[in-house]
Amino acid sequence: MTETHPAHMPKIIAHRGACGSAPENTLVSIARAADLGAQAVEFDATVSLDGHALVQHDFNVDRCSDGHGPVVLKTLDEIATLDAGGWFAPEFKGERIPLLTDALALVSERGMALNLELKPTLGWEEPTVRAIAQALKAAWPKDGRILVSSMSTLALDVFHDLMPDVALGLITYAIPEHWNERLKRHHCLSLHCYHAFVTEALAKAIHATGHRLHVYTVNDETQAQALFAMGVDAIFTDHPERMLPLVQN
Ligand code: G3P
Ligand code: MG
């Protein structure tokens, strides 16, 4: 894949924005990634009760805001009252759970590539993906660099039906036994796995089938260098400022 391919990800992908130094999955975290020099950013998207696509990792809002309960039981108006920054550090108090459209506009404005992770609450795959596709159609430029990924193969399949031209990635923890078949079945360009499962042989085999290998979450420079030496195409990191000096994107 050439570096100008719309789904080509630079080697360093800032994870949930730059979530090592800003509250994850907020606009300030995405802006921080760009400020630190990241050329690519990853964040997670889900949906509110009333069908708005949001940037949010967990099924519940408890861990990363001052609210409680499942995100899919809250309307956008309720979500908008939550503080999504104070839990991380007092200076971020007042940050909000972003609308996906606002996050997309920010990524585009800052000229970064985007790995958008579909993170449906289990059981809400279809409405989640419909809302995300609608946000992408409204707020992501046609020439934007994007790769959409998910752990949910149902979400990937629904998304592919709605936006067949957008490249996909399958997120796993371990390496599936029949990874090539699974990648093909779900129209995926890349496999995204936990770093402990990577070997040089795996990276070679993945490349030999025309796929790419993206690895999460890598915050140690020595480990990152070892993974790149094995042939990994890109890593997700909470600390892009540590990893960017290691590579030329
Ligand atoms: O996409 C890589 C990584 O973000 C997957 O795990 O749980 O951080 O969304 P998680
Ligand atoms: Mg993610």
Side-chain angles (χ1 to χ4, degrees):
M1 183 201 287
T2 64
E3 291 189 7
T4 54
H5 188 286
H8 180 274
M9 289 290 116
K11 283 179 175 297
I12 306 300
I13 305 171
H15 184 228
R16 307 182 195 173
C19 77
S21 55
E24 66 178 60
N25 286 333
T26 60
L27 296 181
V28 76
S29 184
I30 295 166
R32 176 73 63 106
D35 291 345
L36 292 171
Q39 294 180 24
V41 66
E42 182 264 5
F43 50 76
D44 309 286
T46 193
V47 73
S48 67
L49 177 63
D50 48 350
H52 294 274
L54 306 167
V55 180
Q56 161 81 4
H57 180 276
D58 297 357
F59 296 166
N60 296 315
V61 297
D62 299 54
R63 184 177 62 87
C64 295
S65 82
D66 59 355
H68 303 285
V71 64
V72 292
L73 291 182
K74 295 186 186 305
T75 63
L76 181 61
D77 284 350
E78 289 166 327
I79 297 277
T81 66
L82 302 180
D83 171 24
W87 69 273
F88 187 83
E91 75 215 65
F92 295 108
K93 202 165 165 39
E95 271 304 305
R96 301 292 166 205
I97 293 174
L99 271 173
L100 178 57
T101 46
D102 291 341
L104 294 173
L106 177 58
V107 176
S108 165
E109 185 187 304
R110 299 300 300 265
M112 291 188 287
L114 174 62
N115 178 190
L116 180 62
E117 180 177 347
L118 310 172
K119 203 71 135 179
T121 299
L122 287 177
W124 271 56
E125 290 84 359
E126 283 101 338
T128 304
V129 172
R130 276 199 302 271
I132 292 170
Q134 196 177 16
L136 282 169
K137 286 174 184 169
W140 186 250
K142 289 252 177 304
D143 60 350
R145 292 173 296 151
I146 188 165
L147 175 66
V148 167
S149 60
S150 191
M151 297 176 183
S152 164
T153 52
L154 173 55
L156 289 171
D157 291 347
V158 173
F159 185 85
H160 182 72
D161 283 345
L162 294 172
M163 298 189 80
D165 295 337
V166 176
L168 299 178
L170 173 65
I171 308 174
T172 64
Y173 188 67
I175 311 299
E177 191 179 3
H178 301 295
W179 53 265
N180 190 23
E181 286 166 27
R182 284 177 67 174
L183 290 174
K184 286 194 172 135
R185 191 185 315 144
H186 301 291
H187 308 94
C188 288
L189 173 74
S190 51
L191 178 67
H192 304 196
C193 72
Y194 184 62
H195 60 78
F197 295 96
V198 173
T199 62
E200 194 171 341
L202 172 75
K204 276 200 179 118
I206 284 184
H207 292 152
T209 60
H211 296 104
R212 291 172 70 80
L213 180 58
H214 298 165
V215 177
Y216 63 89
T217 301
V218 185
N219 291 324
D220 177 83
E221 294 94 321
T222 307
Q223 194 172 49
Q225 277 170 321
L227 289 164
F228 287 130
M230 285 185 222
V232 161
D233 295 294
I235 60 166
F236 299 92
T237 180
D238 302 336
H239 290 283
E241 72 283 6
R242 292 182 195 162
M243 302 302 169
L244 287 163
L246 305 179
V247 300
Q248 290 192 323
N249 272 309

